[in-house]
Amino acid sequence: MRKHVKGNVSWVGYLDWELETFHGDDYSIFHGSSQNAYLIEEEKTILVDTVWTPHHYDFIQNLKSEIDLKKIDAIIVNHGEADHSGALPALLAEIPGTPIYCTAMAVKSLEGQYGKQGWNFHVVKTGDELDIGNGKKLQFVEMRMLHWPDSMAEFMTGDNILFSMDAFGQHYATSELFADLAEQDVLWHEALKYFVNILNPFAALIPRKLDEIAKLNLPIEMIAPSHGAIWREKPFKIIEKYAEWAKAYQEDQVTVVYDTMWNGTKAIAHAIEAEIKKQSPSTVVKVFHIAKSDKNEVMTEVFKSKAIAVGSPTAINDILASVTAWISFAKSLKFKNKKAAAFGCYGWSGEGVAVLQKELKEAGFDVVDENVKSLWNPGEEDFAKVPELVKALLA
Ligand code: FEO
């Protein structure tokens, strides 16, 4: 089954309602996803990307039900990651020698994953074009580090579609295909979660890339990413959002995250939450027990925050392993422009708060000195330190 996208372009990807995690188990999926592949049937027949390896059989059978595979004149590989290239080996076994248009880095990644099979690579770079007939062309734009070194996009003239690869995508399954027909709250949450967890580490490169695309003066009417819904109405809205998100984004929100052994550190977390509402009623506050919360969702909340408070009891001269892992993940996402404060209980040696402060600094947060370090369960004098900590976070 194909779905009509625009003109002679169809969606021939895989709608993955059952997917629960992505990148192994590193990215949680709560609303399904899709691996979008597109079939362009102009004078030339072009396949843009394929699907993940486990779906290769369904993908190829579906393609066969739509066209004679031998009609495919070229395959565009925008990115070598397995969710888009996984069906290539099986497809090329059916149509060996079909030209593959991709970046030089994609050749490396494809040969690295699937071996040197003598595939018919045509390396392209920004500015290169492929004539597809009927007066239309594909204009290639390298998207290096958005999010892999091999990433690429292309603009299809005539129909004015930007095939944007992972950028502007969402892990979101929608039968409706188009973003304007999707459930808006879910769509935008998934677009943001995708940006935070996949693209934010490379956010510094995004404004430059968006400027470069703007300078090409492409009359973009549609953005067709490799995951989730296609942006058909006001496609520039998602580009504007990316520009906004890429610039050390923050809202009036504070996120409190903690793990706890005997609920003492939890009590401080909730005292901080209450004090934030007292000092700044309009500030959104969210509290997460790290060990029991989805890390990708929590990071999406951290991304929206201007400050965070992180708590852990001291455990074995250190902090709890769940908090160590959480900060390590936060570090990899390269958040900017966010304050952080530390808190936690201890019974004996009490290194926890100092370890938290050090690790949060190393993770790129602006750590305030104010903290709450409570011997045994927090008492009056510990809770008395909460207003100063909150004041420093909100300043
Ligand atoms: Fe959707 Fe980077 O692969």
Side-chain angles (χ1 to χ4, degrees):
M1 187 190 70
R2 67 168 79 197
K3 292 186 181 184
H4 182 243
V5 174
K6 191 169 194 265
N8 295 320
V9 179
S10 307
W11 178 93
V12 289
Y14 188 84
L15 196 51
D16 211 339
W17 292 101
E18 287 82 18
L19 195 69
E20 292 180 332
T21 60
F22 183 76
H23 280 165
D25 288 331
D26 208 42
Y27 186 117
S28 58
I29 303 277
F30 297 124
H31 298 101
S33 187
S34 65
Q35 295 124 45
N36 296 341
Y38 300 97
L39 188 65
I40 303 172
E41 294 165 286
E42 299 295 346
E43 284 174 54
K44 286 189 180 166
T45 300
I46 311 289
L47 177 68
V48 178
D49 294 312
T50 69
V51 301
W52 188 29
T53 324
H55 309 309
H56 78 268
Y57 180 78
D58 289 346
F59 172 71
I60 291 172
Q61 289 306 112
N62 182 45
L63 260 187
K64 278 182 178 172
S65 73
E66 296 293 341
I67 55 160
D68 176 357
L69 294 185
K70 292 191 174 59
K71 277 192 73 185
I72 297 175
D73 293 296
I75 302 169
I76 311 292
V77 174
N78 280 319
H79 174 36
E81 196 161 10
D83 49 334
H84 308 294
S85 69
L88 262 185
L91 180 61
L92 286 166
E94 302 253 5
I95 45 171
T98 304
I100 298 171
Y101 288 78
C102 64
T103 63
M105 288 294 191
V107 175
K108 277 191 182 184
S109 92
L110 293 172
E111 290 192 335
Q113 293 174 87
Y114 307 114
K116 295 194 179 201
Q117 302 200 32
W119 288 350
N120 183 11
F121 291 115
H122 291 244
V123 169
V124 291
K125 52 188 184 327
T126 298
D128 288 350
E129 295 181 341
L130 177 63
D131 191 333
I132 56 175
N134 295 332
K136 299 177 186 179
K137 291 181 291 193
L138 292 177
Q139 301 175 321
F140 298 102
V141 184
E142 287 167 89
M143 300 281 276
R144 195 174 251 250
M145 295 321 295
L146 298 175
H147 69 119
W148 267 20
D150 66 5
S151 298
M152 176 177 89
E154 59 277 335
F155 180 71
M156 180 179 171
T157 64
D159 293 296
N160 298 330
I161 304 171
L162 179 69
F163 296 98
S164 62
M165 207 332 85
D166 283 329
F168 311 125
Q170 331 93 45
H171 283 306
Y172 177 37
T174 171
S175 282
E176 276 65 45
L177 191 64
F178 296 106
D180 53 289
L181 300 178
E183 241 177 291
Q184 295 302 295
D185 286 356
V186 181
L187 170 82
W188 282 101
H189 175 74
E190 292 301 337
L192 178 63
K193 178 178 172 182
Y194 191 90
F195 180 92
V196 173
N197 288 277
I198 304 277
L199 291 156
N200 197 61
F202 313 105
L205 305 172
I206 290 175
R208 223 180 315 146
K209 182 51 70 178
L210 294 180
D211 281 352
E212 186 190 320
I213 293 173
K215 279 184 191 138
L216 294 173
N217 272 324
L218 304 174
I220 297 169
E221 289 176 11
M222 183 180 277
I223 296 177
S226 293
H227 297 288
I230 296 170
W231 306 95
R232 174 176 66 173
E233 277 188 5
K234 300 183 186 151
F236 282 94
K237 192 170 168 196
I238 186 67
I239 297 180
E240 285 159 16
K241 278 287 172 196
Y242 265 49
E244 201 183 328
W245 293 339
K247 287 182 185 157
Y249 183 80
Q250 56 172 238
E251 296 175 12
D252 185 11
Q253 176 171 330
V254 178
T255 299
V256 181
V257 296
Y258 71 95
D259 198 356
T260 194
M261 288 167 77
W262 301 106
N263 288 338
T265 301
K266 176 181 174 179
I268 302 171
H270 287 286
I272 292 171
E273 173 203 2
E275 182 63 26
I276 295 166
K277 290 313 281 184
K278 193 170 157 194
Q279 291 190 25
S280 179
S282 60
T283 298
V284 173
V285 192
K286 296 194 181 175
V287 183
F288 297 97
H289 185 168
I290 287 171
K292 296 181 178 175
S293 303
D294 180 84
K295 72 179 189 305
N296 307 106
E297 294 290 336
V298 178
M299 289 308 172
T300 306
E301 297 303 331
V302 169
F303 178 78
K304 289 193 277 180
S305 301
K306 58 185 179 184
I308 62 171
V310 183
S312 171
T314 298
I316 327 173
N317 309 113
D318 206 323
I319 55 176
L320 289 173
S322 57
V323 186
T324 304
W326 189 88
I327 297 176
S328 171
F329 184 45
K331 184 180 181 183
S332 74
L333 296 183
K334 298 189 169 65
F335 293 119
K336 299 265 183 310
N337 194 27
K338 298 190 192 302
K339 287 187 178 180
F343 62 94
C345 296
Y346 68 104
W348 306 107
S349 56
E351 293 91 340
V353 163
V355 172
L356 281 171
Q357 289 179 324
K358 177 175 167 286
E359 292 190 3
L360 286 166
K361 257 179 214 155
E362 286 170 7
F365 291 93
D366 303 324
V367 178
V368 300
D369 290 333
E370 289 79 0
N371 63 81
V372 178
K373 182 177 166 183
S374 167
L375 181 59
W376 302 110
N377 280 330
E380 226 169 90
E381 65 208 53
D382 304 303
F383 289 122
K385 293 179 190 159
V386 169
E388 284 305 305
L389 179 152
V390 168
K391 201 171 155 198
L393 280 185
L394 295 176

